Amino acid sequence: MRELPVQVQEQLLDQFGSRVAFDELERLFYSHDMGSLPSLVKPLLGSTLPAGVVQPVTEEQVIGLVDLARTHGIPLVPRGKSTSGYGGVIPVKGGLVVDFAWMNQVLSVDPEAMTATVQPGVVWEQLETTLNRQGLALRTYPSSAPSSTVGGWLAQGGLGFGSYEFGEFHENVVSCRAVLPSGEVREFKGETLDLIREAEGTTGLIIEVTIRVRPFEPAALWGAQFPSAGSMARALEVCKISKLPFWSVSFINPTMAHVRNNLPPHIEHGKAIEEDRPTLPEAYLVVFVAPESRRSVLEQHLVSLVHAAGGEMLADEIAQDEWDNRFNLMHGKRLGPSVAPAEVVVPLDRLEPVLQEIEARIELPVLMEAMVDAADDEVTLLGFILHDERKFTFNFAFGLALSVLKAAKENGGRAYATGLFFSNEAERVLGAERLSRLRAFKREIDPQGLFNPDKVLSGLPLLDGFMGLAGTFEPLVRLFGNAATSPVGERLEAQGRRGIPDDVAWYAYACTQCGYCVDTCDQYYGRGWESQTPRGKWYFLRNYMEGKVDWTQKMVDSILACTTCELCNVRCCEDLPIEPSWLKLRGELIHDEDRLTFPPFEIMRQSLRKENNIWAGY
């Protein structure tokens, strides 16, 4: 359903007012997630343009929306901040995207029960700040905490910082409330939580989550380097067996360290500014974190353990720098400018062979960060293969993600999540028994199949067939993938197209679409739509250069209305010069009088001509 009947549009306008959009260009910004799909895969999805976007702010609005959708057979696709690349928020059957970004209130914090109750659109970083003011802290949070939401992480699942002690996120959830396709609001907790978590909105729209929290305490940090995957894996296994009470244990691989050492300098006002960052040893680097009160218990054991495994302790300065940059794991994409994600979960005791297989099988640069879950004996590997989506060979490089998945599965591992692209891995990700329960529950409550169709429990036949075929012929796919030489760091001539400057074009493709810039942007806060965000503007420029869209007054206004506060430059996980790029585009956009322009600039232009100043004075 790509277009809604006029009657339905009118009903939505009555119900949501300015919080609903039917403009085709605005809908474009809600047709994708943060992943970059290769050209051979995109046609398998068909059109992903939704018929509209709705932004509820109350539970009653969500219930009313569900009732309307059920009556008219409209698919509903829930969306948090779209910080995943698994296709879970892509509206493959059109319908309405339900943007929960504005249901973002912390409803209550209970210091006695050590819980917090929040709406689904609450961003992790903001929740941590709120808790810290009351002497509390999060038990665990994702590596995308500056932009991802509580509801989104519950819907997809996963491990994060703090998972070493507290396990997967769902293990820290007391309960959640969700609106079912019938319009009923139901609470899920205990075993029934399995019917909502990791289901990505296919069984219910999450409207409230209660999580467990912990007392706030300053962090004690240690860093260690290991010359090989084997020595690091041995150290991590001893940590687990010895039951050392760390809160979080994470690591990066040597390729990630190498790329971080070779990142381009920060650009400020058109000039390169060299940052005073320590040089990282190009080895496996592990960061251990614990509450300060445990320092004396852990320090002596950790040093001897690291040395026994063949590693060395890192300087405090490097350990602190790694921890301070824990949310910038995709910084290296700036050299790509694109990545193929390769994220898997593997048993802790099989970590060494998995890492060795990945190193042996894949010749392209694989940047990797990982979180250890001692409670469940698992390690989440968040891998990114650097390449360039503008090249046809990106199709082959993208296929190397299947080689990472194969290495994981051969050692008892699995895909990180299902979403749209790995629905054929659902049984391994969710477990056969839970998958069966989810499918039965879905049939019972959503016979029309309106809630996030073609995700998790079933996929697109063409896409599933393609992924299955590619998996079967993985050795051949890997052969072509390794031959697709990665153009890391190339600054090709004439990258910009259709009048877009070369450097701005590079940044448009380098943008990770992570959303770190979104909530800090005054323009987004004032106008409330993705078209007004820095990541939205980058996405528009990509599509413009590819000839899929043209300049409209709306997008000219969006670029030119930037308040130049520069907060996006500060928050960007890749250190892109965002605001300077808009200033450069301003010159391009207002230089030619035949182009669309910005009314205030036209007033200034005419005033300058008439009175020799822009203020319309004599």
Side-chain angles (χ1 to χ4, degrees):
M1 179 179 286
R2 307 296 167 191
E3 298 290 338
L4 295 175
V6 174
Q7 176 192 2
V8 175
Q9 291 189 26
E10 290 175 349
Q11 287 180 269
L12 288 167
L13 285 167
D14 287 342
Q15 186 175 353
F16 293 96
S18 62
R19 291 293 186 191
V20 62
F22 304 115
D23 169 57
E24 183 173 352
L25 184 58
E26 192 64 55
R27 288 184 281 151
L28 174 70
F29 297 101
Y30 295 84
S31 67
H32 68 103
D33 61 9
M34 69 181 295
S36 296
L37 295 179
S39 58
L40 293 179
V41 174
K42 287 180 181 178
L44 302 177
L45 273 63
S47 173
T48 61
L49 195 70
V53 184
V54 177
Q55 297 176 333
V57 294
T58 66
E59 177 180 312
E60 290 71 27
Q61 286 187 332
V62 177
I63 296 170
L65 178 62
V66 169
D67 289 340
L68 182 69
R70 186 176 63 254
T71 300
H72 296 279
I74 303 170
L76 297 178
V77 181
R79 187 180 194 269
K81 280 295 179 63
S82 188
T83 58
S84 171
Y86 284 86
V89 301
I90 297 179
V92 290
K93 287 190 175 178
L96 289 168
V97 168
V98 188
D99 180 5
F100 281 100
W102 297 98
M103 288 185 70
N104 56 5
Q105 300 301 305
V106 177
L107 300 175
S108 66
V109 176
D110 188 338
E112 292 187 8
M114 298 296 285
T115 61
T117 300
V118 303
Q119 290 183 314
V122 166
V123 171
W124 286 103
E125 185 178 69
Q126 296 169 356
L127 178 56
E128 175 76 344
T129 300
T130 300
L131 292 172
N132 289 172
R133 293 190 186 115
Q134 301 187 45
L136 301 171
L138 292 165
R139 285 185 168 200
T140 180
Y141 51 81
S143 57
S144 56
S147 60
S148 62
T149 63
V150 174
W153 207 26
L154 180 58
Q156 179 170 291
L159 299 174
F161 298 107
S163 285
Y164 188 87
E165 179 174 357
F166 292 109
E168 294 185 55
F169 171 50
H170 74 86
E171 297 173 67
N172 299 278
V173 174
V174 177
S175 65
C176 82
R177 297 174 71 244
V179 180
L180 303 186
S182 64
E184 173 194 356
V185 178
R186 189 181 298 184
E187 183 179 48
F188 295 85
K189 59 183 178 181
E191 288 188 1
T192 63
L193 190 63
D194 288 349
L195 300 174
I196 291 293
R197 69 176 179 92
E198 299 175 64
E200 303 196 15
T202 57
T203 54
L205 303 182
I206 298 168
I207 55 172
E208 188 179 293
V209 184
T210 298
I211 63 173
R212 295 183 178 89
V213 298
R214 64 189 177 108
F216 171 78
E217 196 173 335
L221 300 175
W222 301 269
Q225 61 172 315
F226 297 90
S228 67
S231 61
M232 179 188 68
R234 287 192 295 274
L236 295 179
E237 284 195 66
V238 173
C239 281
K240 192 265 177 183
I241 293 169
S242 303
K243 298 183 178 180
L244 296 182
F246 292 109
W247 170 67
S248 182
V249 176
S250 56
F251 66 85
I252 64 172
N253 69 342
T255 306
M256 177 75 89
H258 172 76
V259 166
R260 287 188 181 175
N261 285 335
N262 289 276
L263 288 172
H266 173 69
I267 298 175
E268 194 170 303
H269 303 299
K271 296 181 180 179
I273 308 295
E274 293 293 341
E275 294 181 274
D276 187 22
R277 286 196 61 186
T279 300
L280 302 177
E282 295 183 6
Y284 283 95
L285 306 183
V286 185
V287 175
F288 302 88
V289 186
E292 181 63 38
S293 60
R294 302 177 191 172
R295 179 185 291 274
S296 59
V297 175
L298 288 166
E299 200 152 45
Q300 184 176 356
H301 291 290
L302 180 61
V303 172
S304 58
L305 181 156
V306 167
H307 290 160
E312 299 177 36
M313 298 300 293
L314 290 174
D316 291 344
E317 177 191 17
I318 295 178
Q320 186 66 56
D321 187 72
E322 276 298 283
W323 182 245
D324 291 344
N325 282 279
R326 65 191 180 280
F327 300 132
N328 298 334
L329 72 161
M330 293 185 72
H331 207 157
K333 187 177 184 291
R334 187 169 170 180
L335 297 175
S338 308
V339 296
E343 301 176 344
V344 293
V345 179
V346 300
L348 177 57
D349 62 2
R350 301 299 297 167
L351 177 61
E352 178 181 0
V354 170
L355 292 175
Q356 289 175 340
E357 285 295 323
I358 292 172
E359 290 176 358
R361 295 179 184 181
I362 300 179
E363 297 173 15
L364 270 60
V366 183
L367 282 60
M368 192 169 289
E369 181 173 52
M371 283 83 170
V372 183
D373 173 6
D376 299 308
D377 292 331
E378 291 183 333
V379 180
T380 292
L381 302 177
L382 305 175
F384 306 97
I385 302 167
L386 289 176
H387 212 272
D388 188 340
E389 65 192 84
R390 297 169 298 177
K391 294 176 174 289
F392 182 77
T393 48
F394 181 64
N395 288 282
F396 307 128
F398 200 86
L400 291 173
L402 296 175
S403 300
V404 174
L405 178 58
K406 184 177 181 180
K409 291 167 67 174
E410 288 174 348
N411 288 278
R414 57 176 174 82
Y416 179 68
T418 52
L420 173 65
F421 305 114
F422 288 106
S423 59
N424 55 2
E425 294 287 331
E427 183 171 328
R428 188 180 289 267
V429 173
L430 302 172
E433 190 274 334
R434 187 152 77 92
L435 180 60
S436 177
R437 286 176 61 204
L438 273 171
R439 284 177 171 158
F441 185 58
K442 174 77 169 176
R443 287 192 297 269
E444 173 193 345
I445 63 167
D446 190 14
Q448 294 177 271
L450 298 180
F451 274 27
N452 210 5
D454 297 329
K455 313 289 170 52
V456 185
L457 308 177
S458 62
L460 293 171
L462 281 177
L463 181 62
D464 283 353
F466 178 84
M467 295 294 286
L469 190 65
T472 300
F473 293 98
E474 183 273 332
L476 184 61
V477 172
R478 189 191 336 145
L479 180 67
F480 281 100
N482 283 328
T485 307
S486 179
V488 174
E490 289 183 11
R491 302 305 296 260
L492 305 177
E493 294 293 329
Q495 299 170 46
R497 298 178 182 177
R498 305 185 72 185
I500 302 301
D502 290 353
D503 57 340
V504 176
W506 181 272
Y507 301 142
Y509 282 97
C511 170
T512 66
Q513 296 288 300
C514 67
Y516 288 13
C517 59
V518 171
D519 284 338
T520 56
C521 178
D522 334 356
Q523 195 175 332
Y524 171 72
Y525 188 79
R527 300 188 178 188
W529 295 97
E530 277 288 333
S531 59
Q532 307 303 304
T533 66
R535 72 171 176 181
K537 297 171 191 177
W538 289 131
Y539 187 71
F540 170 81
L541 291 176
R542 289 187 201 178
N543 282 271
Y544 173 72
M545 288 185 286
E546 292 168 10
K548 297 174 182 176
V549 295
D550 287 310
W551 281 108
T552 66
Q553 188 64 57
K554 175 176 181 171
M555 287 315 297
V556 170
D557 289 353
S558 176
I559 297 283
L560 300 184
C562 170
T563 65
T564 68
C565 71
E566 301 191 55
L567 281 172
C568 54
N569 295 347
V570 176
R571 293 313 309 266
C572 180
C573 74
E574 293 184 84
D575 209 17
L576 297 179
I578 302 174
E579 184 264 358
S581 296
W582 304 158
L583 294 184
K584 181 174 286 191
L585 283 176
R586 280 182 172 183
E588 297 289 332
L589 290 171
I590 68 171
H591 179 70
D592 186 346
E593 291 190 49
D594 292 330
R595 289 200 185 208
L596 297 166
T597 188
F598 195 43
F601 288 175
E602 284 305 300
I603 294 171
M604 287 188 276
R605 185 205 302 270
Q606 296 304 321
S607 297
L608 184 64
R609 286 176 172 168
K610 184 173 184 293
E611 306 295 351
N612 291 325
N613 71 75
I614 64 173
W615 306 113
Y618 292 112

